[in-house]
Each structure stands twice: as C-alpha cells, then as structure tokens.
Amino acid sequence: MTRVLVVEDEPSLVRALEINLKARDYDVDTAPDGAHALRLAAAHPPDVVLLDLGLPDMDGIDVIKELRAWSRASVLVVSARRTSEVKVTALDAGADDYIAKPFSMDELLARLRAAARRIESAKPSDEPAVIVTEDFTLDLPAKKARRDGRDVRLTPTEWHLVEVLVRDSGRLVSHQQLLQEVWGPFHSTQTNYLRVYMAHVRRKLEADPAHPRHFTTAPGMGYRFDP
Ligand code: CA
C-alpha cells in the first residue's frame, strides 16, 4: 500500500484529500505544519509527500530540503504559488513534481499514481526467494533446504556460502569474493576453508557429491551455482 503524507494547513482541503485518497486505498497521514510533517515522516516514513508551501511555521521549501537530507519519499508540491521561479526553486530543492492550486482532484490523483509507479520501479527487484532444482529446494528467507522430500540442515556458514552463490546464480564467484563475504576481510586467501565447506554443501545437497551439477568448481578461480 502506498503511504501518503498530506502536509497542508487548510482543514477543508486536508479533509477532501484524505477522503479521496483513502477511497483509493492509500494509507494517509496528515500534518498541519512543517514541524509535524518532519516528525511524522521520520516516525512513519511515507512513499509520497503532498506538500503545501505556505505553512504556518516554516516555508515548504525548507521542508523539502530537510526531507531530502534523509527521506526517499517522492515530494509533490501542491501550492497556490504559481510563478515558474517558485516551481524551479521547489524542484531544485528536491521536489519531484509541482501542482498549482486550485487543482483538479483527477489530475492530482494521476500525478500521485505516476509518483507511486516511479517509486515502485525504483525499488530493487526481489531476489528469488525459493530456488528449485531437480535435486533440491532452497527456501532462502526461511533458511530451509530439502532434498528427496527430507529437510537438510545446513550450518550458518554453509547457508551464507550458498546464499552468496545463489545470488549470483549462473555466474562465477571468485574465491576472494566468497571468502570476504562469508568469512570477512581477513580470510581472503584461505581457499582451504572454501574447499572444506563446499564439500559439506555438496554432500548435503548434490545427488552425486563427487560429480556436482549445481555447485561447480572453476579450478583456480572460484565456484558457480547453476539451478
Ligand atoms: Ca497553506
């Protein structure tokens, strides 16, 4: 659900926005001034901020600058100030869009949908949570492995190793990268660790550990996971 923070000191407009947004399944918070807005944005991070510039306690431009220092929310200015100079100032301060008052509710909702789409496409795509191969299944969030219908127990280090390889599925991951990610920066030359732990992982997951199909070795370079 997209969370919208409405920052506006005109109560009738706050009510109109709240009713319209909630009717379209947005999660809505409201703040009547800049100080409240910043506190709420920190406590309950919004996806989009609808921001009036003429606020009783501070200028909306300063609210944008403050938000930009730590918030990733999209900021849509909704203001009666119509000069292009003000629009440029707001956009330069970090606003994402500008709607002049009076506005049509349909236009505001369309701009809001566009902002929400941009946020959605900017989010990192979810990594595959469950990996299914012919021989075994890995449920990464639950840290559960199954082979031949039975649970397989991996130690935390084995899981970590598996996760790093699975994340780069199909690509060679170097010894150094694996050692650094799993054992930390002071072990980057100890490839014997890798041999031992890879042998454990193969014994637990591969159908034929001596001839692994999924966790393969690139001699002298690293390892690769193929689903
Ligand atoms: Ca105002």
Side-chain angles (χ1 to χ4, degrees):
M1 198 189 261
T2 304
R3 179 176 297 153
V4 182
L5 172 58
V6 175
V7 189
E8 172 61 62
D9 59 329
E10 171 55 50
S12 60
L13 183 50
V14 173
R15 270 189 57 73
L17 285 167
E18 212 176 357
I19 289 166
N20 274 281
L21 296 177
K22 284 186 173 164
R24 285 159 184 85
D25 277 342
Y26 289 100
D27 193 353
V28 184
D29 283 326
T30 65
D33 57 47
H36 274 94
L38 292 169
R39 272 206 302 278
L40 256 177
H44 208 201
D47 297 302
V48 181
V49 179
L50 295 183
L51 177 68
D52 181 23
L53 293 183
L55 296 169
D57 62 335
M58 59 195 282
D59 194 285
I61 299 289
D62 293 325
V63 176
I64 301 172
K65 289 178 182 162
E66 174 75 24
L67 276 174
R68 271 297 153 260
W70 45 265
S71 168
R72 296 175 60 188
S74 183
V75 178
L76 264 68
V77 170
V78 183
S79 174
R81 302 180 195 164
R82 309 179 69 95
T83 66
S84 70
E85 197 186 338
V86 174
K87 289 182 190 174
V88 169
T89 306
L91 295 171
D92 279 346
D96 296 279
D97 200 356
Y98 197 104
I99 302 168
K101 287 178 184 170
F103 57 87
S104 88
M105 191 58 77
D106 284 344
E107 183 186 350
L108 182 130
L109 291 168
R111 304 269 194 113
L112 188 55
R113 285 194 298 275
R117 275 198 303 275
R118 283 196 298 274
I119 292 160
E120 206 49 47
S121 63
K123 282 182 182 166
S125 62
D126 292 337
E127 285 166 15
V130 179
I131 310 292
V132 180
T133 75
E134 275 177 41
D135 300 312
F136 56 85
T137 304
L138 300 171
D139 181 340
L140 299 178
K143 291 215 179 339
K144 284 194 165 177
R146 286 178 76 78
R147 184 159 76 89
D148 298 331
R150 278 201 298 263
D151 287 340
V152 177
R153 293 180 61 87
L154 298 179
T155 66
T157 302
E158 290 161 3
W159 262 114
H160 201 163
L161 191 55
V162 165
E163 279 171 349
V164 174
L165 287 165
V166 165
R167 201 180 59 209
D168 270 332
S169 183
R171 288 213 298 269
L172 174 70
V173 183
S174 70
H175 290 146
Q176 194 181 0
Q177 188 187 341
L178 282 166
L179 285 164
Q180 286 205 354
E181 289 212 31
V182 179
W183 283 275
F186 304 110
H187 297 94
S188 60
T189 56
Q190 280 152 296
T191 52
N192 56 325
Y193 285 23
L194 275 177
R195 267 197 304 280
V196 170
Y197 279 87
M198 284 305 299
H200 293 169
V201 167
R202 286 167 173 157
R203 202 175 60 238
K204 291 179 180 182
L205 296 176
E206 294 276 359
D208 179 0
H211 302 94
R213 292 176 51 189
H214 305 287
F215 294 96
T216 52
T217 305
M221 294 194 286
Y223 296 89
R224 183 204 320 269
F225 171 75
D226 289 298

